[in-house]
Amino acid sequence: MNIETAIDKIAALLATSRRVLFITGAGVSADSGLPTYRGVGGLYNDESTAEGLSIEQALSGQVFAVRPDITWKYLSQIEHNCRGALPNAAHLAIAALEQRIPQVLVFTQNIDGLHRKANSSQIIEIHGNLQDLICTKCEFQEQVEDLDGRSLPPRCPECGSVMRPKVVLFGEALPTEAMQRFMAALEQGFDMVFTIGTSGVFPYVAEPVAWCARAGIPTVEINPIQTRISQHVAFHLPLGAARAMEAILARLDRSA
């Protein structure tokens, strides 16, 4: 099946859908100028950090517990890289679908907050968000635009303890509440499932897609490369996220 035919079929299925799930990874933000990170940090490929640690070690809960300054050094680099990034056509298209489809759920691995900025209303940020800071000792929380001018590690204004972003560091468990919400949504069922810009290396991404495909639910993968999800989906669009979602939305507009 060629790309144009696949897009026509995907748009036709979307037009009759009432519940749609979008699972997104770093690739959905590539057209916003953000690199498709290796892991959470990915500012490094196979290089060690200045401290002789891998980026995964530097961004781990274990290192944060004893050397929060190291973890914050690399978290701040990620935050700086994300600063000023705006939602691209893929984020905006997903948000726009809420005007056509009764329920659009976004389950994202990204911590860049771009689905929020695009005004998607139902989002599960399974790895958290860099803009949400919490105290490691007391209950103080705050939401920040960026870390510009903040001392690192940032300190709690109420008790003076180290603050951390509300993100999942390497070696930490996924947030229970967010996973329960995702599982509950899966149990209610979806009419279509999209994966965009994710390699599907995590079981909590790959397994629901494979399960939906086996259940006969139309599944779509948008990714320029083949991934471990590709063999399971009904449609694989080898395109960037923005180009693919713009094309799908245009088809929907044409048929409306």
Side-chain angles (χ1 to χ4, degrees):
M1 187 185 304
N2 65 41
I3 291 175
E4 294 302 314
T5 301
I7 290 172
D8 285 339
K9 289 181 178 294
I10 291 165
L13 288 165
L14 261 180
T16 60
S17 295
R18 298 187 60 79
R19 285 173 53 83
V20 179
L21 169 65
F22 286 89
I23 300 175
T24 67
V28 78
S29 297
D31 289 300
S32 295
L34 301 184
T36 52
Y37 295 130
R38 176 175 67 89
V40 173
L43 298 174
Y44 299 81
N45 291 321
D46 293 320
E47 302 173 14
S48 295
T49 64
E51 295 78 16
L53 303 170
S54 69
I55 193 65
E56 287 87 355
Q57 289 173 314
L59 291 170
S60 69
Q62 184 178 14
V63 169
F64 182 82
V66 294
R67 289 292 304 273
D69 57 311
I70 292 177
T71 303
W72 264 110
K73 175 182 176 180
Y74 296 100
L75 284 171
S76 69
Q77 289 185 13
I78 297 170
E79 186 277 326
H80 187 269
N81 212 51
C82 294
R83 195 178 300 172
L86 297 173
N88 63 53
H91 299 103
L92 297 172
I94 293 168
L97 286 172
E98 293 187 7
Q99 306 305 313
R100 303 167 178 267
I101 299 168
Q103 184 170 12
V104 177
L105 176 64
V106 178
F107 179 84
T108 186
Q109 299 168 257
N110 299 340
I111 59 175
D112 54 35
L114 292 181
H115 284 295
R116 288 189 191 185
K117 290 183 180 179
N119 293 321
S120 283
S121 63
Q122 294 190 59
I123 310 169
I124 298 175
E125 294 171 315
I126 196 60
H127 291 161
N129 191 298
L130 278 170
Q131 282 73 49
D132 295 335
L133 302 185
I134 56 175
C135 179
T136 55
K137 296 294 184 185
C138 73
E139 296 182 355
F140 180 79
Q141 301 186 34
E142 65 176 319
Q143 193 171 82
V144 297
E145 277 295 316
D146 55 54
L147 296 172
D148 191 34
R150 300 286 294 254
S151 60
L152 297 176
R155 295 282 174 174
C156 174
E158 294 194 359
C159 74
S161 299
V162 172
M163 300 278 286
R164 63 168 285 169
K166 204 172 181 179
V167 299
V168 178
L169 299 174
F170 284 98
E172 293 183 331
L174 295 172
T176 301
E177 184 179 347
M179 277 305 297
Q180 287 176 341
R181 184 180 162 205
F182 182 47
M183 296 309 295
L186 287 172
E187 287 175 7
Q188 290 178 33
F190 289 97
D191 300 314
M192 283 191 83
V193 175
F194 287 73
T195 68
I196 305 180
T198 175
S199 61
V201 295
F202 296 112
Y204 55 85
V205 171
E207 289 176 7
V209 175
W211 180 87
C212 289
R214 288 194 298 270
I217 299 167
T219 48
V220 181
E221 179 184 40
I222 297 172
N223 203 313
I225 62 172
Q226 293 278 321
T227 72
R228 64 183 60 194
I229 296 173
S230 304
Q231 62 181 315
H232 300 293
V233 297
F235 303 95
H236 173 84
L237 294 181
L239 303 172
R243 181 182 168 194
M245 288 305 302
E246 278 186 315
I248 292 167
L249 207 57
R251 292 291 202 287
L252 276 174
D253 288 336
R254 205 176 302 162
S255 60

